[in-house]
Amino acid sequence: MAMYTRLAPGRYRASEHTQGPWDPASQHLGPVTALLVHELALTAPRPGLELARLAVDVLGPVPVTDLDVRTDVVRDGKRVQCLSASVSGGGREHVRATAWRIRESPTPATPAAAPPPLPGPQGDSWISTGFGYGRATEWRFARGGPGETGPATAWGRSRVALVEGEEITPAERLALFADSGNGISLALGFDTHLFVNVDLTISLFRAPAGEWICLDAATAIGPSGRGLTRSTLYDLDGEVGTATQTLFVAPR
């Protein structure tokens, strides 16, 4: 079973593989973000324009139900292109997003950080057994571990397809994992506090490749109910960009 089944153009049915850790009736933002990248790739495609930034605002929990994804072109330039997208379901809009594509051209690249080591297979843990998204993904920790507080470095790959019958792309794989920074770098106990992100911003200086994505993540909690997670993103060739999440923090 894939995370989503296409019902019609722009319309999808979510499976249990999209379930998040806070509520089994709500989706993890990772699959939702990957689905946005999937639909945006079908919107005004132009050879040579690659995703450079994706900003996602979460207007409310995304239910595990049928979803409609709508996209539009905000600015259609030859060298840069801006797109918008939204996700709705059950009669409500749940997510809005803005994406920037930038034309590829030869540039003198600065040295990029080497990737952290990819550990060998690791046993099951709460992150792989406790909820649908966790069971649909494989995680290997190079630093920290499931349920441990503090900064963490972890590699992930999907065990299932994103959209039934369609090959998942490297950009979709990265989007699938970029929202997990606050989940792997716990600053507070999962059983005692909520630390739910209200947004996700992914910025890339090169296109990702391969099936493995790494997050080197750290979370800071402020004194008044807000937090921030910063993640450096890698593939097996090295650093590709960053992801940030603004967190709503509260006792359970």
Side-chain angles (χ1 to χ4, degrees), residues 85-117:
S86 67
V87 177
S88 59
R92 289 188 56 188
E93 184 183 20
H94 304 289
V95 170
R96 293 179 185 173
T98 302
W100 281 96
R101 292 173 177 159
I102 296 177
R103 176 172 293 281
E104 289 190 325
S105 61
T107 49
T110 57

Side-chain angles (χ1 to χ4, degrees), residues 121-122 134-140 155-159 177 212:
Q122 299 173 352
R135 292 188 293 271
T137 52
E138 177 184 356
W139 289 89
R140 299 183 186 181
W155 288 90
R157 67 175 174 179
S158 181
R159 303 177 189 265
F177 287 97
W212 286 99

Side-chain angles (χ1 to χ4, degrees), residues 14 68 80 122 124 127 147-148 151 160 180 184 188 195 199 218-219 227-228 249 251:
D68 292 299
V80 294
Q122 299 173 352
D124 287 342
I127 202 168
E148 295 183 17
V160 303
S180 294
I184 66 170
L188 298 169
F195 36 93
D199 66 3
T219 296
L228 176 65
V249 184

